[in-house]
Structure formats: structure tokens, C-alpha cells
Amino acid sequence: MATQPNIHLYTASTMNGWKPLIFLEEAEVEYELTAIDFSKKEQKSEWYIKLNPNGRIPTIVDHGNDNFVVFESGAILWYLAEKYGKFLPKEEKSRSQALQWLMFQMSGVGPIMGQAMYFQRIAEPQGHRDEFAIKRYVEESRRLLEVLDKQLEGKTYLLGDEFSIADIATYPWARSYYWAKVSVDGLNNLQAWFDRIDSRPATQRALEIPKPFPAFFGKGDVATAESANADRFKSDVKR
């Protein structure tokens, strides 16, 4: 008789949504997956709000730990890293560094690049172009990528030689610079880091789940993807 995987993941194909998928695929952890359909606003449904009161993805339920629920992508990564003893240094100072770079992504790279994407890929296609906001978020996104580039100087990954949850959290966002319309010209350390993680089969496999969205990375039919994405969030644009 088949046993239920401990981890049940609720997610979608977004930068935050891919984070736990990358961890689980890289760590070779068996999991159950429920894809959340934004077009049906499943993330706002009563049953989902009971799991995640913020109505966002991703969320996990750990059936192996009294059905313990964890939401917020950074918190999920930390929980999984501690549970499975993967992608998190054991030494005290190194663990603190992992947490610092995880928070750098959560408080900076994600929100700022997300706004650059919103104003250019969702609001603008619907006739709401805000030059001030676009300039602000694109320039700040570039500055944050420059911080990453400096951190990666002489390193294989953000913390050194070992792949960690800091890389897992940051990669889907930074790698989507195309979607945010942010230049990475001259950021050679960052681009080399992209290449290294691009070549990790488990990470690339995760980016195909629940379904691929290659336009984030400047691939495929970007125009059609942009239109569909803007329509999906149409109600979020203030008129």
C-alpha cells in the first residue's frame, strides 16, 4: 500500500511558487502537489484561506508533523532545510549568512523586481503606464542585482562553494530579469551564477512544474504570455 508523502505543496508557476519546488526536486524529497489556479482565484477560496490567511502561494502542509502548515516562501525554504538537513549550513555564522541572504531576497529582490514586472507587464499593457514607478523599480532592481554580483565575486554560489536556500530563493527572481526589463549587462559574476544554476537538472525540472512559463526568462511567445498574464491580473489594476 502506497504511503502519503509527508509534504503537500500548494503552488503555482511564479517566482515564489517555484522556490519550494526547486528545494524538493533538488533534495529528491517525495511530495504531493496541488496546482493553484489564479484564473479561478483558488488562492482566495475559503478552503485555501484556512491554510494560508494571506491568500498567496506557496503553502505546505507537513503530514509527517501533525499536518503542520507553513506559508511564506522564505519560511517554507527554512522549514524544509531544517527538516531534511539540506542546503543550509550547520555552522552558526554560516547559517546566519544564509538567513541574511534569504531575507535580502524576500525583502528586496522579490518585492522590487515584482513591482518592476507589475508596472511594465500588467499595468502598462492595460493602458496604465507610470514612468516614475517604472524608473524607480527598474533602477532599484538593477542596484540589487549589482549587490548580488558583488557577493558572487570569487564564489560558486551566494554563500561560497555550496548550493543553499539563498540560491534557491534568489534564482527564480534574479533569473527573470528579462520579465522585469532590467539589464544584467556587465554583471559577469551574476551571469556565471545563472549559467551554473541553469545547468542543474533538478532546478530546471522544477521550473516546468506545475507548468512552464518561459516568457519570464525571455523565451517562447513573450507577447502572448504577457497578454495572458495581464488579463489574469486585470482586476488588480486600479482604474
Side-chain angles (χ1 to χ4, degrees), residues 41-59:
K41 295 192 178 296
E42 289 180 343
Q43 77 277 19
K44 302 298 184 183
S45 62
E46 183 178 354
W47 69 267
Y48 188 78
I49 292 292
K50 288 179 180 179
L51 296 175
N52 185 335
N54 195 34
R56 297 288 191 269
I57 57 94
T59 301

Side-chain angles (χ1 to χ4, degrees), residues 104-121:
F104 177 79
Q105 185 282 306
M106 294 293 295
S107 65
V109 175
I112 296 298
M113 291 189 73
Q115 291 298 322
M117 294 171 187
Y118 175 83
F119 281 103
Q120 296 178 95
R121 299 292 187 178

Side-chain angles (χ1 to χ4, degrees), residues 146-159:
E146 289 173 356
V147 173
L148 290 173
D149 185 73
K150 184 175 181 179
Q151 172 64 13
L152 285 161
E153 185 174 357
K155 299 183 183 70
T156 304
Y157 297 109
L158 283 170
L159 301 184

